[in-house]
């Protein structure tokens, strides 16, 4: 066993003495040591209950002859960090999480790992660590929260953000906003729509690193606890069979994840995270690959923010397994891929079926003929940019309008809330990329304000930063090259015409080439917004959004 280097032989007597100081017995030390990365904390709704999940994982490991050893990792709540300096640290936390899990696992010579996680950067951070460590590993999430209700209408966190815009535009009073605030998030768990956390938990299942149900079983259900016990049991099976993470996270597995991504209509952030995870195992993914998968994979589920359904509906309708079973009819996934069940995708989905065809539509009756995401290219984004096309109203799929340019999210938010953005405008928010932000902030407040004001059918937003998985409308992010690198977005001026054509995958700054070249020749980078600490180091080392925003 790998753990023998810290516990076996006379020379490891001092090491065993330290284990015994914590109460471990000789019998426990003779067994495989299974590390459990636990991201529980008291600041994220999706993580507040993870100690219960960890206890269930421990029970599963103990039942099957292992010794479970839990340790903590950090996590940021994107909702609480939203629209202030805290969001600059969110994407960067993904690398810290991956590094911290790597450090703990190697320093203590764990034989296998279970990653207990739930929310936005924590899930991909754990998956990057799993890829890097290449140990027998199972990832288990804490599950999504239940949907809230307000006057008989289902609501979630995004309802609150959009209600703020409604208040600012005089469409709602603050008393009703308070009622929505109290009702929108009724339980623990990752927020109830197909936002980034739930997108990544579903894709963990699709890529084979999570058990069936990992992405959709609600946090408060007993089935979630049973799933966690099963994760502890299955990791011991993987250990005995020597099935490590890189035997599961193959090129075909990433193709499966992209196909499920398109069928579900996941967050644009999945592009960043899948590229970063794939890089860790030596699989090359580029932005064009997402377009190729999107063009042949129908969009079968319409969940919040783009639709009316929520995660609990998807779970009742058959979950990710039913979606995979449906798209396998058109051979859109590789069913021979190995998974953490110890079986193939084909075996896992053999008995799956769609229970509610209003939630998971058939291939013959999709919500859209193409997948949920699209990557656009053009002189404004030579290396690409990403939009959740399934959440864009039809008339905004093609749009041209004057640019309204802002050098920070705060400036743009103030203009939107102040009623200074008009129908037809194209809001451009720059210097918010991985280097320029730094940290590539999500911008849920400006997009939600526009939606709450009823402008999402008339106004587009473009940024070198990111948008939340809860964003809807013509919100185009990850513009590469970013402004801080001297990308063309850096020289856009107020009033320049910008043309967006999502069906043709084009985004164009309608300024003559010579004028663009002249402006770029005069451009000079601004001073860094953060000049010390972790994010200053991050800004110096991070790649563009078009490459997954990975630290080099």
């Amino acid at each position: 066993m790998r753990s023998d280097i810290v516990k076996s032989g006379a020379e490891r007597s001092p090491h065993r003495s330290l284990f015994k100081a914590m109460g471990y017995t000789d019998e426990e030390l003779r067994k495989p040591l299974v590390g459990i990365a636990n991201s529980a904390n008291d600041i994220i709704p999706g993580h507040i209950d993870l100690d219960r999940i960890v206890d269930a994982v421990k029970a599963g490991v103990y039942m099957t002859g292992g010794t479970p050893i839990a340790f903590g990792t950090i996590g940021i709540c994107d909702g609480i960090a939203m629209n202030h300096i805290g969001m600059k640290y969110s994407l960067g936390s993904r690398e810290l999480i991956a590094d911290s899990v790597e450090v703990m696992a190697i320093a203590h010579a764990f034989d296998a790992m279970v990653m207990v996680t739930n929310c936005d950067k924590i899930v991909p951070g754990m998956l990057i660590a799993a890829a890097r460590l290449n140990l027998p590993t199972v990832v288990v999430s804490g599950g999504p929260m239940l949907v809230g209700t307000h006057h008989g209408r289902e609501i979630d966190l995004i309802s609150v953000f959009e209600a703020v815009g409604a208040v600012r535009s005089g469409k709602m009073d603050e008393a009703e906003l308070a009622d929505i605030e109290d009702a929108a998030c009724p339980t623990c768990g990752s927020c109830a729509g197909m936002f980034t956390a739930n997108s990544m938990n579903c894709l963990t299942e699709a890529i084979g690193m999570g058990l069936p149900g990992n992405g959709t079983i609600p946090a408060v259900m007993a089935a979630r606890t049973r799933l966690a016990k099963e994760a502890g049991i299955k990791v011991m099976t993987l250990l005995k069979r020597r099935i490590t993470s890189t035997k599961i996270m193959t090129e075909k597995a990433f193709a499966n994840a992209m196909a499920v991504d398109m069928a579900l209509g996941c967050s644009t952030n999945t592009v960043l995270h899948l590229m970063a995870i794939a890089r860790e195992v030596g699989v090359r993914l580029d932005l064009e690959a997402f377009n190729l998968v999107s063009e042949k994979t129908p969009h079968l589920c319409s969940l919040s923010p783009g639709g009316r359904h929520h995660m609990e509906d998807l779970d009742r309708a058959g979950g990710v397994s039913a979606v995979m079973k449906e798209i396998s009819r058109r051979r859109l996934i590789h069913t021979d891929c190995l998974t953490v069940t110890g079986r193939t995708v084909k075996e896992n989905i053999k008995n799956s079926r769609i229970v509610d065809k209003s939630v998971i539509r058939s291939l013959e009756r999709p919500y859209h003929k193409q997948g949920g995401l699209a990557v656009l290219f053009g002189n404004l984004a030579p290396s690409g940019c990403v939009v959740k096309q399934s959440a864009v109203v039809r008339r905004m799929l093609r749009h041209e309008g004057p640019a309204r340019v802002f050098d920070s999210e705060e400036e743009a938010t103030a203009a939107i809330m102040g009623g200074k953005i008009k129908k037809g405008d194209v809001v451009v928010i720059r210097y918010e990329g991985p280097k320029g932000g730094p940290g590539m902030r999500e911008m849920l407040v400006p997009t939600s304000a526009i939606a709450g004001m009823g402008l999402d059918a008339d106004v587009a937003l473009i940024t070198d930063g990111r948008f939340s998985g809860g964003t809807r409308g013509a919100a185009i992010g990850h513009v590469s090259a970013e402004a801080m690198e001297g990308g063309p977005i850096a020289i856009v001026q107020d009033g320049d015409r910008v043309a967006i054509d999502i069906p043709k995958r084009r985004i164009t700054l309608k300024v003559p080439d010579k004028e663009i070249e002249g402006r770029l020749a005069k451009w000079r980078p601004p001073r860094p917004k953060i000049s010390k600490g972790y994010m200053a180091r991050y800004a110096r080392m991070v790649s563009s959004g078009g490459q997954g925003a990975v630290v080099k």
Side-chain angles (χ1 to χ4, degrees):
M1 288 185 291
R2 192 168 173 273
S3 60
D4 285 344
I5 63 172
V6 298
K7 66 182 186 180
S8 295
E11 69 277 10
R12 293 299 183 248
S13 183
H15 303 62
R16 291 193 297 274
S17 181
L18 292 169
F19 275 103
K20 289 175 180 179
M22 296 178 280
Y24 291 101
T25 66
D26 286 327
E27 177 62 24
E28 286 175 304
L29 294 180
R30 281 192 284 271
K31 296 176 180 179
L33 303 185
V34 179
I36 303 174
N38 178 13
S39 58
N41 59 46
D42 292 344
I43 195 65
I44 308 179
H47 293 235
I48 191 108
D49 202 35
L50 288 188
D51 283 337
R52 173 178 61 88
I53 300 298
V54 168
D55 286 344
V57 171
K58 286 181 176 180
V61 172
Y62 269 127
M63 281 191 286
T64 44
T67 297
I69 301 175
F71 61 89
T73 68
I74 64 166
I76 289 175
C77 177
D78 280 12
I80 294 174
M82 195 71 65
N83 197 231
H84 58 86
I85 191 172
M87 180 49 73
K88 293 177 184 288
Y89 289 76
S90 176
L91 182 59
S93 73
R94 183 185 73 183
E95 316 309 314
L96 288 174
I97 292 159
D99 290 349
S100 66
V101 174
E102 173 196 358
V103 165
M104 291 295 288
I106 293 178
H108 301 105
F110 294 132
D111 296 297
M113 293 291 301
V114 178
M115 312 288 194
V116 179
T117 179
N118 211 17
C119 290
D120 296 48
K121 307 310 156 312
I122 302 93
V123 179
M126 297 273 196
L127 285 166
I128 289 170
R132 191 178 297 167
L133 291 167
N134 195 27
L135 294 171
T137 303
V138 178
V139 179
V140 59
S141 80
M145 69 172 61
L146 297 180
V147 70
T149 58
H150 176 66
H151 294 168
R153 180 174 66 93
E154 291 187 343
I155 60 172
D156 54 39
L157 178 66
I158 307 310
S159 308
V160 191
F161 276 98
E162 294 185 359
V164 173
V167 169
R168 289 287 179 266
S169 61
K171 296 180 178 181
M172 182 185 293
D173 59 35
E174 292 195 16
E176 185 172 1
L177 172 61
D179 289 342
I180 292 172
E181 173 187 324
D182 289 343
C185 300
T187 71
C188 66
S190 48
C191 298
M194 189 54 80
F195 315 141
T196 305
N198 292 324
S199 294
M200 287 309 303
N201 283 325
C202 287
L203 297 191
T204 298
E205 188 176 332
I207 209 170
M209 289 297 292
L211 296 171
N214 179 73
T216 59
I217 298 171
V220 295
M221 299 300 187
R224 176 59 59 177
T225 305
R226 295 197 298 270
L227 186 81
K229 288 180 182 177
E230 190 67 22
I233 293 167
K234 288 298 183 186
V235 77
M236 295 301 295
T237 300
L238 297 180
L239 178 60
K240 290 172 185 174
R241 294 178 55 186
R242 299 182 181 180
I243 298 174
T244 62
S245 55
T246 59
K247 292 180 180 178
I248 293 171
M249 287 195 276
T250 63
E251 185 173 358
K252 286 182 177 180
F254 282 99
N256 286 351
M258 285 191 288
V260 172
D261 191 337
M262 299 307 163
L264 289 175
C266 291
S267 163
T268 53
N269 288 312
T270 60
V271 175
L272 288 174
H273 299 322
L274 287 177
M275 291 175 75
I277 300 161
R279 178 179 179 271
E280 203 66 50
V281 295
V283 172
R284 186 178 179 275
L285 284 186
D286 57 26
L287 290 178
E288 191 56 51
F290 288 86
N291 268 347
L292 294 174
V293 175
S294 181
E295 287 168 4
K296 62 183 181 181
T297 309
H299 175 221
L300 304 183
C301 303
S302 186
L303 279 71
S304 175
R308 64 184 180 88
H309 296 127
H310 289 85
M311 297 306 296
E312 60 193 80
D313 301 313
L314 178 59
D315 187 61
R316 284 194 297 264
V320 174
S321 291
V323 173
M324 295 182 79
K325 179 71 173 290
E326 182 63 17
I327 62 177
S328 72
R329 292 200 296 114
R330 200 173 287 177
R331 298 186 179 181
L332 294 172
I333 61 170
H334 302 278
T335 59
D336 59 337
C337 289
L338 188 62
T339 74
V340 292
T341 64
R343 302 188 298 268
T344 63
V345 169
K346 182 177 181 179
E347 292 170 308
N348 286 348
I349 66 175
K350 180 180 178 181
N351 297 318
S352 299
R353 63 187 181 89
I354 299 174
V355 177
D356 186 342
K357 290 191 176 182
S358 70
V359 178
I360 305 172
R361 289 193 176 181
S362 68
L363 289 168
E364 291 74 27
R365 199 175 65 89
Y367 282 97
H368 301 97
K369 292 182 179 180
Q370 294 187 344
L373 301 181
V375 179
L376 315 184
F377 295 90
N379 66 350
L380 186 55
S383 298
C385 54
V386 184
V387 63
K388 188 171 183 173
Q389 63 178 347
S390 60
V392 179
V393 297
R394 183 177 294 274
R395 76 188 197 199
M396 287 298 291
L397 291 172
R398 291 184 174 89
H399 178 75
E400 181 177 325
R404 297 294 310 280
V405 183
F406 304 94
D407 287 348
S408 71
E409 179 189 0
E410 288 83 357
E411 293 175 19
T413 300
I416 293 165
M417 294 293 194
K420 296 179 181 178
I421 301 302
K422 308 301 180 187
K423 289 184 176 182
D425 284 348
V426 177
V427 177
V428 177
I429 309 174
R430 63 192 178 195
Y431 297 109
E432 290 288 4
K435 295 179 184 294
M440 205 178 186
R441 284 193 288 185
E442 285 187 351
M443 300 188 199
L444 183 55
V445 169
T447 59
S448 296
I450 282 177
M453 292 174 173
L455 293 173
D456 58 304
D458 300 283
V459 172
L461 291 94
I462 299 171
T463 183
D464 54 6
R466 300 181 295 132
F467 291 115
S468 164
T471 291
R472 62 186 175 98
I476 300 167
H478 309 192
V479 169
S480 298
E482 65 171 287
M484 198 66 174
E485 293 182 317
I489 192 173
I491 53 82
V492 180
Q493 297 178 0
D494 272 340
D496 287 346
R497 304 290 292 183
V498 176
I500 299 161
D501 192 330
I502 295 174
K504 289 187 177 180
R505 308 294 195 255
R506 300 296 298 169
I507 184 166
T508 306
L509 176 62
K510 303 194 83 173
V511 171
D513 291 345
K514 287 188 177 180
E515 173 68 14
I516 292 174
E517 290 170 7
R519 292 183 192 178
L520 285 171
K522 296 175 183 177
W523 174 85
R524 296 294 180 272
R527 292 172 61 88
K529 294 176 183 176
I530 296 177
S531 58
K532 62 181 180 179
Y534 173 64
M535 290 311 298
R537 298 197 304 274
Y538 179 87
R540 290 194 295 269
M541 297 185 293
V542 71
S543 73
S544 73
Q547 296 175 320
V550 295
V551 171
K552 299 174 183 177

